[in-house]
Amino acid sequence: KRRLEHILQLHGVRDAEALLRKLSQDKAYFPVFLADFIPSSTEMFRDPSLWRYLKDTVLPDLAKSLSPIKIWIPSMDTGEELYSLVITLKEMNLLGRAKIYASDYSDIVTAAIKSGRCDAKKMEVNEANYHRFQGNAVFESYFTTDSDGQLCLKSELVRDVVFVKQNANFDSSVSGCNLILFRNQLIYMNISQEERIIGHLRSNLNAGCFLVVGVKENLEHLAGGSNFINVNSSEKVYKRKIG
């Protein structure tokens, strides 16, 4: 409801009926609507303690395997989660060993993320979070400016990321994952949708591997939550049960 109210105001549309007419009659408008409708992430390294836990515990555990670490970010919003992940892997010397998949509903948003484009107004918060994450490099060294003077993440960090077009039913999925980052998404769903999506994510996650949801979310109220072990209740990190 909040997002729809935002769209009506942003696009100067009178009411929901007018929005439906515009969506049905103007095919070129739908991609614009979709890009603005998707909630955007607010910052990089959001919840720095989670990223420390991933760096200190989860990723080292996965790195023990000789196989590539397969990581999926469904519904990646505007890219901050992906950017935080690739920087973390870079600092752990694991970027070359990881196969990263990122999904989004919007082609417009995906194109912006591929370019590494960042909001310069958020960089002070991003850098503060990075320091709380206890990163071991100069934060600014991960960025450059393009020909238009736009601040961008260095392209080599996202060069090998596989981008997957996704819809609300998750028809395009990534199987055999070792880590799925699905933060701050369940809060937009009702119980039946949560059950369906968590079941879907479980089927694409290897046994004994990790699912991360948002700090204000949990799986304990879901029937499908019985398929997971809560390994860090404060950071909402779950492990798929074996068997």
Side-chain angles (χ1 to χ4, degrees):
K1 182 175 182 293
R2 289 196 305 269
R3 298 305 299 174
L4 284 173
E5 290 173 344
H6 167 72
I7 289 292
L8 294 178
Q9 182 178 19
L10 180 67
H11 295 184
V13 181
R14 185 178 67 256
D15 53 31
E17 288 76 14
L19 177 62
L20 285 172
R21 285 195 300 273
K22 188 172 179 64
L23 285 168
S24 63
Q25 296 170 6
D26 184 357
K27 291 184 178 180
Y29 173 66
F30 182 72
V32 177
F33 162 81
L34 194 59
D36 288 334
F37 180 73
I38 296 170
S40 60
S41 298
T42 55
E43 59 210 40
M44 292 175 60
F45 292 99
R46 183 176 180 178
D47 306 314
S49 57
L50 166 68
W51 291 98
R52 288 198 303 271
Y53 182 73
L54 292 177
K55 179 180 68 173
D56 296 340
T57 304
V58 173
L59 289 169
D61 181 53
L62 295 176
K64 293 175 184 177
S65 170
L66 295 177
S67 302
I69 305 169
K70 196 170 185 178
I71 304 173
W72 181 26
I73 307 178
S75 301
M76 61 183 168
D77 298 338
T78 52
E80 287 87 348
E81 194 91 332
L82 174 62
Y83 298 165
S84 304
L85 173 64
V86 295
I87 289 174
T88 301
L89 292 169
K90 174 73 172 177
E91 296 196 357
M92 298 179 68
N93 294 318
L94 291 177
L95 189 57
R97 286 190 54 195
K99 296 184 67 174
I100 304 170
Y101 297 80
S103 305
D104 209 312
Y105 307 118
S106 167
D107 291 333
I108 294 175
V109 173
T110 298
I113 294 170
K114 284 181 178 180
S115 73
R117 196 165 297 171
C118 303
D119 186 345
K121 293 181 290 186
K122 296 179 182 178
M123 291 305 288
E124 184 175 348
V125 173
N126 292 342
E127 185 169 9
N129 284 345
Y130 175 77
H131 289 306
R132 290 168 58 202
F133 158 70
Q134 299 173 0
N136 57 25
V138 177
F139 186 63
E140 294 177 354
S141 67
Y142 292 114
F143 301 89
T144 186
T145 54
D146 62 17
S147 57
D148 297 323
Q150 172 73 47
L151 185 68
C152 298
L153 189 78
K154 288 185 175 179
S155 59
E156 60 264 26
L157 293 172
V158 293
R159 179 179 55 218
D160 296 327
V161 174
V162 178
F163 291 88
V164 180
K165 183 68 176 292
Q166 182 174 297
N167 61 27
N169 293 320
F170 281 57
D171 291 331
S172 300
S173 299
V174 179
S175 61
C177 295
N178 307 117
L179 171 63
I180 298 177
L181 298 174
F182 192 65
R183 300 204 299 152
N184 307 311
Q185 303 292 329
L186 296 175
I187 56 175
Y188 297 104
M189 302 177 186
N190 59 29
I191 292 290
S192 61
Q193 180 78 347
E194 286 182 290
E195 290 281 14
R196 191 175 66 80
I197 295 302
I198 289 302
H200 191 82
L201 295 179
R202 175 192 174 275
S203 68
N204 287 280
L205 183 67
N206 288 340
C209 290
F210 300 90
L211 169 66
V212 183
V213 298
V215 294
K216 295 182 179 180
E217 302 168 332
N218 64 76
L219 305 184
E220 279 73 14
H221 66 293
L222 301 174
S226 62
N227 295 303
F228 294 88
I229 301 168
N230 188 333
V231 295
N232 189 317
S233 58
S234 61
E235 305 299 346
K236 301 301 171 61
V237 179
Y238 293 83
K239 180 181 285 191
R240 180 186 164 181
K241 290 181 178 178
I242 298 174

